[in-house]
Amino acid sequence: MSSDIWNPWHGCRKYSEGCENCYMFYLDKERGKSGSEIYKVKTNFNLPLKKDRHGNFKVKSGERLRVCMTSDFFLEEADAWRDEVWNMIRLRPDVHFWILTKRAYRIRDCLPWDWLDGWENVSMNITAENQERADERLPVLLEIPAKHKGVMVAPFIGKVNLEKYLATGQLEAVLADGENYEGARPLHYEWVKDLYEQCKKYNTPFSFFGTGNVFVKDGKEYHICKAYQHVQALRSGLQYPSIEGAAPLQKRCASCRRRDVCNGCRWCGKCMM
């Protein structure tokens, strides 16, 4: 498990067309498990509060944790556990928690009692795999009080126009990624380029993270293995603001050299590209 991911629970119910080829269901199937089995991850549930033998937090100050990447933070079946998670987030204001959901309609009713206009250490993000889901979820997100908001277009399975949402100035970042594993649907270069141009127009950071297994450009279909999808996305130059050295390859973190993108990792906690 990546050190910047926190999965307090695991398993999900497929909710929309973006879930059709869900990577979690595929990987669980490979292990002989069912992705529809939803359970509390007891060994990792209290990750933000875990300490080493010297009494120091294992998750260092300044790190970012992506929450529930093998589930959905606002899944109904997790209602009994969510208050405990909010409390841990409350106790670690020095760690940034990046929350992603397809269930935008549940966000407001599941916020902690002292949320008010949002917590500085929480970023609230929705997925928008196509235009229909963008138009369903983004209006809800924009009405939610939150210090940080974003959208992840993944799996990117249809052209998406976000201009009217970007024009509000509320979205801090847009991320895009293709689809992987069995049944992966193609991602078209033109879709990514168009979304990149929209974000550039409204001065909103845009990150193209991966091409997915099937990438179409200039009418030609490319099949790209998982290990090279991020590299090819960087080579496209579709990053805003542009990253020096992103074509042909993005520079690694200038301090620790361990990652392609500085994530406030445990190795230094404050590095810059």
Side-chain angles (χ1 to χ4, degrees), residues 194-252:
D194 183 54
L195 189 55
Y196 160 82
E197 295 291 352
Q198 294 172 42
C199 291
K200 188 175 180 181
K201 177 180 177 180
Y202 290 96
N203 197 31
T204 303
F206 174 75
S207 295
F208 178 30
F209 274 110
T211 60
N213 283 153
V214 185
F215 192 61
V216 179
K217 184 179 181 184
D218 299 328
K220 185 174 180 179
E221 186 173 285
Y222 299 88
H223 292 261
I224 304 173
C225 70
K226 191 75 169 69
Y228 288 98
Q229 291 171 20
H230 182 56
V231 171
Q232 294 300 327
L234 292 173
R235 283 178 170 164
S236 73
L238 300 179
Q239 313 288 335
Y240 180 77
S242 60
I243 303 171
E244 182 184 354
L249 287 173
Q250 182 184 23
K251 294 193 302 184
R252 286 188 177 273

Side-chain angles (χ1 to χ4, degrees), residues 162-176:
L162 301 181
E163 286 209 36
K164 65 181 179 181
Y165 307 116
L166 293 168
T168 68
Q170 291 192 51
L171 298 176
E172 289 187 346
V174 176
L175 300 86

Side-chain angles (χ1 to χ4, degrees), residues 5 7 10 14 18-31 35 66-71 100 102 152 154-155 177-182 226:
I5 291 176
N7 292 320
H10 180 92
K14 293 187 177 183
C19 304
E20 183 177 327
N21 304 313
C22 176
Y23 68 92
M24 183 273 292
F25 277 81
Y26 173 82
L27 295 175
D28 271 15
K29 181 181 176 182
E30 288 289 291
R31 297 186 297 114
R66 292 179 289 160
V67 186
C68 283
M69 300 308 291
T70 61
S71 186
L100 181 68
K102 284 182 170 63
M152 187 165 187
D177 203 349
E179 189 169 49
N180 288 287
Y181 306 114
E182 286 182 341
K226 191 75 169 69

Side-chain angles (χ1 to χ4, degrees), residues 89-104:
I89 293 173
R90 184 186 289 111
L91 292 172
R92 290 301 307 271
D94 58 324
V95 173
H96 194 88
F97 296 86
W98 191 85
I99 294 173
L100 181 68
T101 185
K102 284 182 170 63
R103 292 164 171 79

Side-chain angles (χ1 to χ4, degrees):
M1 182 183 299
S2 174
S3 62
D4 67 343
I5 291 176
W6 175 31
N7 292 320
W9 47 84
H10 180 92
C12 201
R13 287 184 295 102
K14 293 187 177 183
Y15 175 72
S16 65
E17 53 271 34
C19 304
E20 183 177 327
N21 304 313
C22 176
Y23 68 92
M24 183 273 292
F25 277 81
Y26 173 82
L27 295 175
D28 271 15
K29 181 181 176 182
E30 288 289 291
R31 297 186 297 114
K33 304 291 184 180
S34 171
S36 61
E37 181 185 352
I38 301 163
Y39 57 90
K40 183 177 181 179
V41 182
K42 296 180 180 179
T43 57
N44 211 46
F45 186 76
N46 65 335
L47 177 64
L49 303 185
K50 281 188 174 182
K51 295 184 178 181
D52 60 25
R53 58 189 180 130
H54 302 293
N56 301 312
F57 284 120
K58 290 185 176 182
V59 177
K60 305 301 181 185
S61 180
E63 285 196 61
R64 182 183 70 164
L65 288 178
R66 292 179 289 160
V67 186
C68 283
M69 300 308 291
T70 61
S71 186
D72 190 306
F73 189 77
F74 294 105
L75 189 70
E76 289 89 339
E77 286 82 350
D79 286 353
W81 311 317
R82 194 175 301 103
D83 282 347
E84 292 180 79
V85 168
W86 281 128
N87 190 51
M88 285 184 273
I89 293 173
R90 184 186 289 111
L91 292 172
R92 290 301 307 271
D94 58 324
V95 173
H96 194 88
F97 296 86
W98 191 85
I99 294 173
L100 181 68
T101 185
K102 284 182 170 63
R103 292 164 171 79
Y105 71 97
R106 300 205 77 226
I107 296 176
R108 187 178 292 275
D109 290 339
C110 296
L111 293 172
W113 65 270
D114 54 347
W115 179 259
L116 300 177
D117 61 346
W119 292 353
E120 190 61 48
N121 67 327
V122 175
S123 178
M124 199 68 70
N125 304 268
I126 59 97
T127 58
E129 58 263 41
N130 54 26
Q131 191 65 51
E132 179 183 358
R133 298 307 177 178
D135 292 337
E136 168 197 310
R137 298 166 188 160
L138 272 165
V140 178
L141 178 67
L142 295 179
E143 291 180 356
I144 298 293
K147 298 289 187 182
H148 309 284
K149 299 178 183 180
V151 56
M152 187 165 187
V153 183
F156 204 157
I157 58 174
K159 187 175 181 179
V160 175
N161 188 309
L162 301 181
E163 286 209 36
K164 65 181 179 181
Y165 307 116
L166 293 168
T168 68
Q170 291 192 51
L171 298 176
E172 289 187 346
V174 176
L175 300 86
D177 203 349
E179 189 169 49
N180 288 287
Y181 306 114
E182 286 182 341
R185 290 160 283 189
L187 171 57
H188 291 254
Y189 172 85
E190 292 77 15
W191 300 347
V192 184
K193 181 69 158 51
D194 183 54
L195 189 55
Y196 160 82
E197 295 291 352
Q198 294 172 42
C199 291
K200 188 175 180 181
K201 177 180 177 180
Y202 290 96
N203 197 31
T204 303
F206 174 75
S207 295
F208 178 30
F209 274 110
T211 60
N213 283 153
V214 185
F215 192 61
V216 179
K217 184 179 181 184
D218 299 328
K220 185 174 180 179
E221 186 173 285
Y222 299 88
H223 292 261
I224 304 173
C225 70
K226 191 75 169 69
Y228 288 98
Q229 291 171 20
H230 182 56
V231 171
Q232 294 300 327
L234 292 173
R235 283 178 170 164
S236 73
L238 300 179
Q239 313 288 335
Y240 180 77
S242 60
I243 303 171
E244 182 184 354
L249 287 173
Q250 182 184 23
K251 294 193 302 184
R252 286 188 177 273
C253 165
S255 298
C256 72
R257 311 296 295 177
R258 290 176 177 268
R259 297 185 178 181
D260 290 329
V261 179
C262 175
N263 191 39
C265 68
R266 67 179 67 248
W267 306 105
C268 65
K270 57 182 179 181
C271 53
M272 299 292 290
M273 291 300 300

